[in-house]
Amino acid sequence: MTLEETVNQQLNAAMKAQDKLRTETLRSIRSGIIEFKKSGVSREMNSEDELKLLNKLVKSRKESIELYKAANRNDMAEQEQKELDIIMEFLPKQMTYDEIKAELKKMIDEQNATQKDFGKIMQLAMKTLAGKVDGSKVQVILKELLS
């Protein structure tokens, strides 16, 4: 089942249950899907496109949470966190710190990488671990391993 089908199905269920927060969050995902379709891309949305869309929405929510916390608007930060939790349901299970570190060590060993190869390994890691990790976590762990 595609992301679009899953979102539409869950959106109908959320509307019937009158779950306002879930309905609004699912609508934001759906609007991203519609935007992709209208962007002129002459193909169906694939899993890579779905991950990009979801990661974009996750990043947006995380940035909003930080801004609201900085402005001492904890009520709004909580709202964004709840939306973030709903969006995360559609992403693959996120890797733990130790899992990320193990994968990066393996990549570094395979490539015989040094500190100069940071960009190369970072690019490889983001391609390989797409959707399962947060890029900022990968960056921190990779810097730690290469230094």
PDB file of all heavy atoms in Angstrom, residues 43-80:
ATOM      1  N   ARG A  43       5.977  10.987 -13.152  1.00  0.00           N
ATOM      2  CA  ARG A  43       6.012   9.619 -12.631  1.00  0.00           C
ATOM      3  C   ARG A  43       5.267   9.559 -11.305  1.00  0.00           C
ATOM      4  O   ARG A  43       4.986  10.584 -10.694  1.00  0.00           O
ATOM      5  CB  ARG A  43       7.444   9.132 -12.454  1.00  0.00           C
ATOM      6  CG  ARG A  43       8.244   9.945 -11.441  1.00  0.00           C
ATOM      7  CD  ARG A  43       9.648   9.402 -11.267  1.00  0.00           C
ATOM      8  NE  ARG A  43      10.514  10.311 -10.571  1.00  0.00           N
ATOM      9  CZ  ARG A  43      10.492  10.531  -9.256  1.00  0.00           C
ATOM     10  NH1 ARG A  43       9.640   9.896  -8.489  1.00  0.00           N
ATOM     11  NH2 ARG A  43      11.320  11.385  -8.695  1.00  0.00           N
ATOM     12  N   GLU A  44       4.967   8.347 -10.906  1.00  0.00           N
ATOM     13  CA  GLU A  44       4.315   8.149  -9.614  1.00  0.00           C
ATOM     14  C   GLU A  44       5.325   8.388  -8.489  1.00  0.00           C
ATOM     15  O   GLU A  44       6.526   8.220  -8.682  1.00  0.00           O
ATOM     16  CB  GLU A  44       3.760   6.725  -9.511  1.00  0.00           C
ATOM     17  CG  GLU A  44       2.537   6.476 -10.346  1.00  0.00           C
ATOM     18  CD  GLU A  44       1.336   7.294  -9.884  1.00  0.00           C
ATOM     19  OE1 GLU A  44       1.018   7.297  -8.682  1.00  0.00           O
ATOM     20  OE2 GLU A  44       0.715   7.941 -10.744  1.00  0.00           O
ATOM     21  N   MET A  45       4.835   8.723  -7.339  1.00  0.00           N
ATOM     22  CA  MET A  45       5.675   8.928  -6.172  1.00  0.00           C
ATOM     23  C   MET A  45       6.242   7.573  -5.743  1.00  0.00           C
ATOM     24  O   MET A  45       5.492   6.635  -5.524  1.00  0.00           O
ATOM     25  CB  MET A  45       4.816   9.544  -5.059  1.00  0.00           C
ATOM     26  CG  MET A  45       5.567   9.972  -3.848  1.00  0.00           C
ATOM     27  SD  MET A  45       4.427  10.785  -2.677  1.00  0.00           S
ATOM     28  CE  MET A  45       5.390  12.202  -2.253  1.00  0.00           C
ATOM     29  N   ASN A  46       7.567   7.482  -5.630  1.00  0.00           N
ATOM     30  CA  ASN A  46       8.171   6.226  -5.185  1.00  0.00           C
ATOM     31  C   ASN A  46       8.544   6.317  -3.706  1.00  0.00           C
ATOM     32  O   ASN A  46       8.348   7.356  -3.074  1.00  0.00           O
ATOM     33  CB  ASN A  46       9.386   5.863  -6.054  1.00  0.00           C
ATOM     34  CG  ASN A  46      10.482   6.915  -6.006  1.00  0.00           C
ATOM     35  OD1 ASN A  46      10.682   7.584  -5.013  1.00  0.00           O
ATOM     36  ND2 ASN A  46      11.192   7.057  -7.117  1.00  0.00           N
ATOM     37  N   SER A  47       9.078   5.236  -3.161  1.00  0.00           N
ATOM     38  CA  SER A  47       9.370   5.209  -1.722  1.00  0.00           C
ATOM     39  C   SER A  47      10.411   6.251  -1.334  1.00  0.00           C
ATOM     40  O   SER A  47      10.354   6.812  -0.235  1.00  0.00           O
ATOM     41  CB  SER A  47       9.817   3.812  -1.288  1.00  0.00           C
ATOM     42  OG  SER A  47      10.964   3.428  -2.003  1.00  0.00           O
ATOM     43  N   GLU A  48      11.342   6.547  -2.220  1.00  0.00           N
ATOM     44  CA  GLU A  48      12.345   7.566  -1.930  1.00  0.00           C
ATOM     45  C   GLU A  48      11.692   8.943  -1.821  1.00  0.00           C
ATOM     46  O   GLU A  48      12.016   9.730  -0.931  1.00  0.00           O
ATOM     47  CB  GLU A  48      13.407   7.569  -3.035  1.00  0.00           C
ATOM     48  CG  GLU A  48      14.619   8.390  -2.710  1.00  0.00           C
ATOM     49  CD  GLU A  48      15.692   8.278  -3.777  1.00  0.00           C
ATOM     50  OE1 GLU A  48      16.093   7.148  -4.094  1.00  0.00           O
ATOM     51  OE2 GLU A  48      16.111   9.343  -4.284  1.00  0.00           O
ATOM     52  N   ASP A  49      10.759   9.226  -2.711  1.00  0.00           N
ATOM     53  CA  ASP A  49      10.023  10.493  -2.675  1.00  0.00           C
ATOM     54  C   ASP A  49       9.190  10.593  -1.401  1.00  0.00           C
ATOM     55  O   ASP A  49       9.086  11.662  -0.792  1.00  0.00           O
ATOM     56  CB  ASP A  49       9.108  10.631  -3.890  1.00  0.00           C
ATOM     57  CG  ASP A  49       9.870  10.681  -5.207  1.00  0.00           C
ATOM     58  OD1 ASP A  49      10.964  11.275  -5.241  1.00  0.00           O
ATOM     59  OD2 ASP A  49       9.358  10.121  -6.192  1.00  0.00           O
ATOM     60  N   GLU A  50       8.581   9.477  -1.020  1.00  0.00           N
ATOM     61  CA  GLU A  50       7.776   9.450   0.206  1.00  0.00           C
ATOM     62  C   GLU A  50       8.645   9.753   1.420  1.00  0.00           C
ATOM     63  O   GLU A  50       8.248  10.549   2.287  1.00  0.00           O
ATOM     64  CB  GLU A  50       7.099   8.086   0.364  1.00  0.00           C
ATOM     65  CG  GLU A  50       6.046   7.806  -0.672  1.00  0.00           C
ATOM     66  CD  GLU A  50       5.488   6.388  -0.638  1.00  0.00           C
ATOM     67  OE1 GLU A  50       6.001   5.545   0.120  1.00  0.00           O
ATOM     68  OE2 GLU A  50       4.523   6.143  -1.376  1.00  0.00           O
ATOM     69  N   LEU A  51       9.841   9.148   1.475  1.00  0.00           N
ATOM     70  CA  LEU A  51      10.754   9.409   2.594  1.00  0.00           C
ATOM     71  C   LEU A  51      11.177  10.870   2.629  1.00  0.00           C
ATOM     72  O   LEU A  51      11.228  11.483   3.700  1.00  0.00           O
ATOM     73  CB  LEU A  51      11.994   8.517   2.501  1.00  0.00           C
ATOM     74  CG  LEU A  51      11.821   7.070   2.914  1.00  0.00           C
ATOM     75  CD1 LEU A  51      13.100   6.284   2.656  1.00  0.00           C
ATOM     76  CD2 LEU A  51      11.435   6.964   4.381  1.00  0.00           C
ATOM     77  N   LYS A  52      11.469  11.435   1.453  1.00  0.00           N
ATOM     78  CA  LYS A  52      11.860  12.849   1.397  1.00  0.00           C
ATOM     79  C   LYS A  52      10.751  13.746   1.934  1.00  0.00           C
ATOM     80  O   LYS A  52      11.002  14.670   2.706  1.00  0.00           O
ATOM     81  CB  LYS A  52      12.201  13.257  -0.046  1.00  0.00           C
ATOM     82  CG  LYS A  52      13.557  12.836  -0.505  1.00  0.00           C
ATOM     83  CD  LYS A  52      13.811  13.330  -1.918  1.00  0.00           C
ATOM     84  CE  LYS A  52      15.105  12.778  -2.479  1.00  0.00           C
ATOM     85  NZ  LYS A  52      15.297  13.157  -3.880  1.00  0.00           N
ATOM     86  N   LEU A  53       9.525  13.456   1.518  1.00  0.00           N
ATOM     87  CA  LEU A  53       8.379  14.243   1.965  1.00  0.00           C
ATOM     88  C   LEU A  53       8.220  14.151   3.480  1.00  0.00           C
ATOM     89  O   LEU A  53       8.090  15.174   4.169  1.00  0.00           O
ATOM     90  CB  LEU A  53       7.098  13.763   1.276  1.00  0.00           C
ATOM     91  CG  LEU A  53       5.786  14.307   1.842  1.00  0.00           C
ATOM     92  CD1 LEU A  53       5.679  15.803   1.604  1.00  0.00           C
ATOM     93  CD2 LEU A  53       4.602  13.586   1.244  1.00  0.00           C
ATOM     94  N   LEU A  54       8.237  12.938   3.995  1.00  0.00           N
ATOM     95  CA  LEU A  54       8.057  12.742   5.435  1.00  0.00           C
ATOM     96  C   LEU A  54       9.200  13.369   6.226  1.00  0.00           C
ATOM     97  O   LEU A  54       8.959  14.010   7.262  1.00  0.00           O
ATOM     98  CB  LEU A  54       7.924  11.252   5.757  1.00  0.00           C
ATOM     99  CG  LEU A  54       6.654  10.586   5.219  1.00  0.00           C
ATOM    100  CD1 LEU A  54       6.728   9.081   5.389  1.00  0.00           C
ATOM    101  CD2 LEU A  54       5.413  11.143   5.903  1.00  0.00           C
ATOM    102  N   ASN A  55      10.424  13.229   5.752  1.00  0.00           N
ATOM    103  CA  ASN A  55      11.566  13.825   6.447  1.00  0.00           C
ATOM    104  C   ASN A  55      11.489  15.348   6.439  1.00  0.00           C
ATOM    105  O   ASN A  55      11.871  15.999   7.408  1.00  0.00           O
ATOM    106  CB  ASN A  55      12.887  13.349   5.841  1.00  0.00           C
ATOM    107  CG  ASN A  55      13.234  11.944   6.280  1.00  0.00           C
ATOM    108  OD1 ASN A  55      12.941  11.539   7.397  1.00  0.00           O
ATOM    109  ND2 ASN A  55      13.855  11.189   5.398  1.00  0.00           N
ATOM    110  N   LYS A  56      10.980  15.907   5.350  1.00  0.00           N
ATOM    111  CA  LYS A  56      10.798  17.364   5.269  1.00  0.00           C
ATOM    112  C   LYS A  56       9.786  17.818   6.328  1.00  0.00           C
ATOM    113  O   LYS A  56       9.989  18.817   7.019  1.00  0.00           O
ATOM    114  CB  LYS A  56      10.314  17.722   3.861  1.00  0.00           C
ATOM    115  CG  LYS A  56      10.062  19.167   3.617  1.00  0.00           C
ATOM    116  CD  LYS A  56       9.592  19.382   2.179  1.00  0.00           C
ATOM    117  CE  LYS A  56       8.900  20.700   2.014  1.00  0.00           C
ATOM    118  NZ  LYS A  56       8.266  20.831   0.698  1.00  0.00           N
ATOM    119  N   LEU A  57       8.691  17.064   6.463  1.00  0.00           N
ATOM    120  CA  LEU A  57       7.674  17.406   7.456  1.00  0.00           C
ATOM    121  C   LEU A  57       8.214  17.245   8.878  1.00  0.00           C
ATOM    122  O   LEU A  57       7.923  18.058   9.757  1.00  0.00           O
ATOM    123  CB  LEU A  57       6.435  16.528   7.258  1.00  0.00           C
ATOM    124  CG  LEU A  57       5.647  16.771   5.963  1.00  0.00           C
ATOM    125  CD1 LEU A  57       4.587  15.697   5.768  1.00  0.00           C
ATOM    126  CD2 LEU A  57       5.024  18.156   5.972  1.00  0.00           C
ATOM    127  N   VAL A  58       9.015  16.206   9.095  1.00  0.00           N
ATOM    128  CA  VAL A  58       9.620  15.972  10.418  1.00  0.00           C
ATOM    129  C   VAL A  58      10.556  17.124  10.760  1.00  0.00           C
ATOM    130  O   VAL A  58      10.512  17.664  11.873  1.00  0.00           O
ATOM    131  CB  VAL A  58      10.378  14.617  10.449  1.00  0.00           C
ATOM    132  CG1 VAL A  58      11.301  14.523  11.647  1.00  0.00           C
ATOM    133  CG2 VAL A  58       9.388  13.459  10.456  1.00  0.00           C
ATOM    134  N   LYS A  59      11.402  17.493   9.809  1.00  0.00           N
ATOM    135  CA  LYS A  59      12.352  18.580  10.039  1.00  0.00           C
ATOM    136  C   LYS A  59      11.623  19.880  10.371  1.00  0.00           C
ATOM    137  O   LYS A  59      12.005  20.603  11.291  1.00  0.00           O
ATOM    138  CB  LYS A  59      13.222  18.765   8.799  1.00  0.00           C
ATOM    139  CG  LYS A  59      14.295  19.806   8.956  1.00  0.00           C
ATOM    140  CD  LYS A  59      15.151  19.917   7.713  1.00  0.00           C
ATOM    141  CE  LYS A  59      16.221  20.977   7.902  1.00  0.00           C
ATOM    142  NZ  LYS A  59      17.026  21.153   6.701  1.00  0.00           N
ATOM    143  N   SER A  60      10.561  20.141   9.649  1.00  0.00           N
ATOM    144  CA  SER A  60       9.765  21.341   9.880  1.00  0.00           C
ATOM    145  C   SER A  60       9.195  21.358  11.301  1.00  0.00           C
ATOM    146  O   SER A  60       9.247  22.382  11.993  1.00  0.00           O
ATOM    147  CB  SER A  60       8.644  21.404   8.856  1.00  0.00           C
ATOM    148  OG  SER A  60       7.701  22.369   9.200  1.00  0.00           O
ATOM    149  N   ARG A  61       8.660  20.218  11.720  1.00  0.00           N
ATOM    150  CA  ARG A  61       8.087  20.133  13.072  1.00  0.00           C
ATOM    151  C   ARG A  61       9.159  20.312  14.141  1.00  0.00           C
ATOM    152  O   ARG A  61       8.949  20.998  15.139  1.00  0.00           O
ATOM    153  CB  ARG A  61       7.375  18.793  13.291  1.00  0.00           C
ATOM    154  CG  ARG A  61       6.146  18.517  12.438  1.00  0.00           C
ATOM    155  CD  ARG A  61       5.113  19.620  12.507  1.00  0.00           C
ATOM    156  NE  ARG A  61       3.868  19.366  11.843  1.00  0.00           N
ATOM    157  CZ  ARG A  61       3.665  19.343  10.533  1.00  0.00           C
ATOM    158  NH1 ARG A  61       4.657  19.501   9.700  1.00  0.00           N
ATOM    159  NH2 ARG A  61       2.459  19.162  10.037  1.00  0.00           N
ATOM    160  N   LYS A  62      10.315  19.710  13.935  1.00  0.00           N
ATOM    161  CA  LYS A  62      11.401  19.830  14.918  1.00  0.00           C
ATOM    162  C   LYS A  62      11.866  21.271  15.044  1.00  0.00           C
ATOM    163  O   LYS A  62      12.111  21.748  16.158  1.00  0.00           O
ATOM    164  CB  LYS A  62      12.575  18.922  14.537  1.00  0.00           C
ATOM    165  CG  LYS A  62      12.313  17.459  14.822  1.00  0.00           C
ATOM    166  CD  LYS A  62      13.500  16.594  14.464  1.00  0.00           C
ATOM    167  CE  LYS A  62      13.222  15.133  14.816  1.00  0.00           C
ATOM    168  NZ  LYS A  62      14.369  14.271  14.458  1.00  0.00           N
ATOM    169  N   GLU A  63      11.979  21.952  13.914  1.00  0.00           N
ATOM    170  CA  GLU A  63      12.374  23.367  13.953  1.00  0.00           C
ATOM    171  C   GLU A  63      11.332  24.198  14.681  1.00  0.00           C
ATOM    172  O   GLU A  63      11.676  25.071  15.477  1.00  0.00           O
ATOM    173  CB  GLU A  63      12.587  23.893  12.534  1.00  0.00           C
ATOM    174  CG  GLU A  63      13.817  23.344  11.861  1.00  0.00           C
ATOM    175  CD  GLU A  63      13.915  23.704  10.386  1.00  0.00           C
ATOM    176  OE1 GLU A  63      12.969  24.318   9.828  1.00  0.00           O
ATOM    177  OE2 GLU A  63      14.954  23.371   9.788  1.00  0.00           O
ATOM    178  N   SER A  64      10.070  23.913  14.429  1.00  0.00           N
ATOM    179  CA  SER A  64       8.992  24.647  15.099  1.00  0.00           C
ATOM    180  C   SER A  64       9.025  24.418  16.597  1.00  0.00           C
ATOM    181  O   SER A  64       8.836  25.354  17.384  1.00  0.00           O
ATOM    182  CB  SER A  64       7.631  24.222  14.542  1.00  0.00           C
ATOM    183  OG  SER A  64       7.516  24.569  13.195  1.00  0.00           O
ATOM    184  N   ILE A  65       9.268  23.183  16.998  1.00  0.00           N
ATOM    185  CA  ILE A  65       9.341  22.860  18.429  1.00  0.00           C
ATOM    186  C   ILE A  65      10.433  23.690  19.088  1.00  0.00           C
ATOM    187  O   ILE A  65      10.222  24.282  20.157  1.00  0.00           O
ATOM    188  CB  ILE A  65       9.579  21.347  18.645  1.00  0.00           C
ATOM    189  CG1 ILE A  65       8.332  20.562  18.257  1.00  0.00           C
ATOM    190  CG2 ILE A  65       9.976  21.051  20.094  1.00  0.00           C
ATOM    191  CD1 ILE A  65       8.529  19.055  18.167  1.00  0.00           C
ATOM    192  N   GLU A  66      11.601  23.755  18.463  1.00  0.00           N
ATOM    193  CA  GLU A  66      12.715  24.532  19.018  1.00  0.00           C
ATOM    194  C   GLU A  66      12.347  26.013  19.140  1.00  0.00           C
ATOM    195  O   GLU A  66      12.626  26.637  20.159  1.00  0.00           O
ATOM    196  CB  GLU A  66      13.971  24.372  18.145  1.00  0.00           C
ATOM    197  CG  GLU A  66      14.573  22.991  18.180  1.00  0.00           C
ATOM    198  CD  GLU A  66      14.986  22.548  19.565  1.00  0.00           C
ATOM    199  OE1 GLU A  66      15.601  23.356  20.300  1.00  0.00           O
ATOM    200  OE2 GLU A  66      14.675  21.399  19.934  1.00  0.00           O
ATOM    201  N   LEU A  67      11.724  26.554  18.097  1.00  0.00           N
ATOM    202  CA  LEU A  67      11.344  27.969  18.128  1.00  0.00           C
ATOM    203  C   LEU A  67      10.307  28.251  19.214  1.00  0.00           C
ATOM    204  O   LEU A  67      10.405  29.257  19.918  1.00  0.00           O
ATOM    205  CB  LEU A  67      10.807  28.403  16.764  1.00  0.00           C
ATOM    206  CG  LEU A  67      11.820  28.473  15.630  1.00  0.00           C
ATOM    207  CD1 LEU A  67      11.122  28.729  14.296  1.00  0.00           C
ATOM    208  CD2 LEU A  67      12.844  29.559  15.904  1.00  0.00           C
ATOM    209  N   TYR A  68       9.333  27.369  19.333  1.00  0.00           N
ATOM    210  CA  TYR A  68       8.302  27.568  20.351  1.00  0.00           C
ATOM    211  C   TYR A  68       8.881  27.456  21.757  1.00  0.00           C
ATOM    212  O   TYR A  68       8.517  28.219  22.654  1.00  0.00           O
ATOM    213  CB  TYR A  68       7.156  26.570  20.176  1.00  0.00           C
ATOM    214  CG  TYR A  68       6.241  26.894  19.013  1.00  0.00           C
ATOM    215  CD1 TYR A  68       5.844  25.909  18.119  1.00  0.00           C
ATOM    216  CD2 TYR A  68       5.764  28.178  18.806  1.00  0.00           C
ATOM    217  CE1 TYR A  68       5.003  26.200  17.051  1.00  0.00           C
ATOM    218  CE2 TYR A  68       4.930  28.484  17.742  1.00  0.00           C
ATOM    219  CZ  TYR A  68       4.552  27.489  16.871  1.00  0.00           C
ATOM    220  OH  TYR A  68       3.720  27.788  15.824  1.00  0.00           O
ATOM    221  N   LYS A  69       9.799  26.535  21.949  1.00  0.00           N
ATOM    222  CA  LYS A  69      10.427  26.401  23.273  1.00  0.00           C
ATOM    223  C   LYS A  69      11.252  27.634  23.596  1.00  0.00           C
ATOM    224  O   LYS A  69      11.247  28.099  24.733  1.00  0.00           O
ATOM    225  CB  LYS A  69      11.288  25.143  23.334  1.00  0.00           C
ATOM    226  CG  LYS A  69      10.472  23.882  23.490  1.00  0.00           C
ATOM    227  CD  LYS A  69      11.340  22.646  23.617  1.00  0.00           C
ATOM    228  CE  LYS A  69      10.473  21.425  23.822  1.00  0.00           C
ATOM    229  NZ  LYS A  69      11.269  20.188  23.907  1.00  0.00           N
ATOM    230  N   ALA A  70      11.962  28.155  22.602  1.00  0.00           N
ATOM    231  CA  ALA A  70      12.773  29.355  22.803  1.00  0.00           C
ATOM    232  C   ALA A  70      11.895  30.559  23.142  1.00  0.00           C
ATOM    233  O   ALA A  70      12.295  31.435  23.906  1.00  0.00           O
ATOM    234  CB  ALA A  70      13.603  29.657  21.561  1.00  0.00           C
ATOM    235  N   ALA A  71      10.688  30.576  22.582  1.00  0.00           N
ATOM    236  CA  ALA A  71       9.751  31.675  22.836  1.00  0.00           C
ATOM    237  C   ALA A  71       8.885  31.403  24.070  1.00  0.00           C
ATOM    238  O   ALA A  71       7.961  32.151  24.357  1.00  0.00           O
ATOM    239  CB  ALA A  71       8.863  31.893  21.627  1.00  0.00           C
ATOM    240  N   ASN A  72       9.190  30.312  24.765  1.00  0.00           N
ATOM    241  CA  ASN A  72       8.457  29.933  25.979  1.00  0.00           C
ATOM    242  C   ASN A  72       6.988  29.627  25.693  1.00  0.00           C
ATOM    243  O   ASN A  72       6.118  29.910  26.510  1.00  0.00           O
ATOM    244  CB  ASN A  72       8.589  31.025  27.034  1.00  0.00           C
ATOM    245  CG  ASN A  72       8.908  30.438  28.391  1.00  0.00           C
ATOM    246  OD1 ASN A  72       9.184  29.240  28.516  1.00  0.00           O
ATOM    247  ND2 ASN A  72       8.870  31.276  29.408  1.00  0.00           N
ATOM    248  N   ARG A  73       6.707  29.054  24.530  1.00  0.00           N
ATOM    249  CA  ARG A  73       5.351  28.667  24.148  1.00  0.00           C
ATOM    250  C   ARG A  73       5.247  27.140  24.200  1.00  0.00           C
ATOM    251  O   ARG A  73       5.170  26.464  23.188  1.00  0.00           O
ATOM    252  CB  ARG A  73       5.020  29.159  22.727  1.00  0.00           C
ATOM    253  CG  ARG A  73       4.905  30.645  22.556  1.00  0.00           C
ATOM    254  CD  ARG A  73       3.688  31.255  23.242  1.00  0.00           C
ATOM    255  NE  ARG A  73       2.455  30.552  23.002  1.00  0.00           N
ATOM    256  CZ  ARG A  73       1.574  30.847  22.069  1.00  0.00           C
ATOM    257  NH1 ARG A  73       1.788  31.861  21.267  1.00  0.00           N
ATOM    258  NH2 ARG A  73       0.466  30.148  21.931  1.00  0.00           N
ATOM    259  N   ASN A  74       5.264  26.609  25.409  1.00  0.00           N
ATOM    260  CA  ASN A  74       5.266  25.158  25.582  1.00  0.00           C
ATOM    261  C   ASN A  74       3.987  24.496  25.066  1.00  0.00           C
ATOM    262  O   ASN A  74       4.011  23.344  24.642  1.00  0.00           O
ATOM    263  CB  ASN A  74       5.507  24.802  27.052  1.00  0.00           C
ATOM    264  CG  ASN A  74       6.903  25.176  27.492  1.00  0.00           C
ATOM    265  OD1 ASN A  74       7.833  25.160  26.690  1.00  0.00           O
ATOM    266  ND2 ASN A  74       7.053  25.532  28.753  1.00  0.00           N
ATOM    267  N   ASP A  75       2.872  25.221  25.099  1.00  0.00           N
ATOM    268  CA  ASP A  75       1.621  24.670  24.577  1.00  0.00           C
ATOM    269  C   ASP A  75       1.737  24.395  23.077  1.00  0.00           C
ATOM    270  O   ASP A  75       1.329  23.338  22.596  1.00  0.00           O
ATOM    271  CB  ASP A  75       0.454  25.624  24.863  1.00  0.00           C
ATOM    272  CG  ASP A  75       0.686  27.033  24.300  1.00  0.00           C
ATOM    273  OD1 ASP A  75       1.855  27.487  24.262  1.00  0.00           O
ATOM    274  OD2 ASP A  75      -0.301  27.676  23.907  1.00  0.00           O
ATOM    275  N   MET A  76       2.326  25.338  22.348  1.00  0.00           N
ATOM    276  CA  MET A  76       2.501  25.163  20.909  1.00  0.00           C
ATOM    277  C   MET A  76       3.560  24.096  20.613  1.00  0.00           C
ATOM    278  O   MET A  76       3.422  23.326  19.663  1.00  0.00           O
ATOM    279  CB  MET A  76       2.904  26.484  20.251  1.00  0.00           C
ATOM    280  CG  MET A  76       1.837  27.566  20.349  1.00  0.00           C
ATOM    281  SD  MET A  76       0.301  27.123  19.546  1.00  0.00           S
ATOM    282  CE  MET A  76       0.769  27.229  17.848  1.00  0.00           C
ATOM    283  N   ALA A  77       4.606  24.040  21.446  1.00  0.00           N
ATOM    284  CA  ALA A  77       5.655  23.022  21.272  1.00  0.00           C
ATOM    285  C   ALA A  77       5.061  21.629  21.464  1.00  0.00           C
ATOM    286  O   ALA A  77       5.394  20.695  20.729  1.00  0.00           O
ATOM    287  CB  ALA A  77       6.796  23.258  22.253  1.00  0.00           C
ATOM    288  N   GLU A  78       4.171  21.488  22.433  1.00  0.00           N
ATOM    289  CA  GLU A  78       3.499  20.196  22.671  1.00  0.00           C
ATOM    290  C   GLU A  78       2.656  19.790  21.468  1.00  0.00           C
ATOM    291  O   GLU A  78       2.645  18.630  21.076  1.00  0.00           O
ATOM    292  CB  GLU A  78       2.584  20.295  23.904  1.00  0.00           C
ATOM    293  CG  GLU A  78       3.236  19.918  25.194  1.00  0.00           C
ATOM    294  CD  GLU A  78       2.248  19.986  26.354  1.00  0.00           C
ATOM    295  OE1 GLU A  78       1.099  19.513  26.219  1.00  0.00           O
ATOM    296  OE2 GLU A  78       2.655  20.525  27.394  1.00  0.00           O
ATOM    297  N   GLN A  79       1.946  20.743  20.912  1.00  0.00           N
ATOM    298  CA  GLN A  79       1.111  20.500  19.733  1.00  0.00           C
ATOM    299  C   GLN A  79       1.973  19.986  18.579  1.00  0.00           C
ATOM    300  O   GLN A  79       1.636  19.002  17.929  1.00  0.00           O
ATOM    301  CB  GLN A  79       0.398  21.799  19.329  1.00  0.00           C
ATOM    302  CG  GLN A  79      -0.378  21.731  18.054  1.00  0.00           C
ATOM    303  CD  GLN A  79      -1.782  21.208  18.248  1.00  0.00           C
ATOM    304  OE1 GLN A  79      -2.208  20.942  19.352  1.00  0.00           O
ATOM    305  NE2 GLN A  79      -2.487  21.045  17.160  1.00  0.00           N
ATOM    306  N   GLU A  80       3.088  20.661  18.336  1.00  0.00           N
ATOM    307  CA  GLU A  80       4.003  20.255  17.258  1.00  0.00           C
ATOM    308  C   GLU A  80       4.584  18.872  17.537  1.00  0.00           C
ATOM    309  O   GLU A  80       4.756  18.071  16.621  1.00  0.00           O
ATOM    310  CB  GLU A  80       5.133  21.274  17.094  1.00  0.00           C
ATOM    311  CG  GLU A  80       4.687  22.613  16.557  1.00  0.00           C
ATOM    312  CD  GLU A  80       4.283  22.591  15.099  1.00  0.00           C
ATOM    313  OE1 GLU A  80       4.870  21.832  14.318  1.00  0.00           O
ATOM    314  OE2 GLU A  80       3.370  23.352  14.734  1.00  0.00           O
TER     315      GLU A  80
END
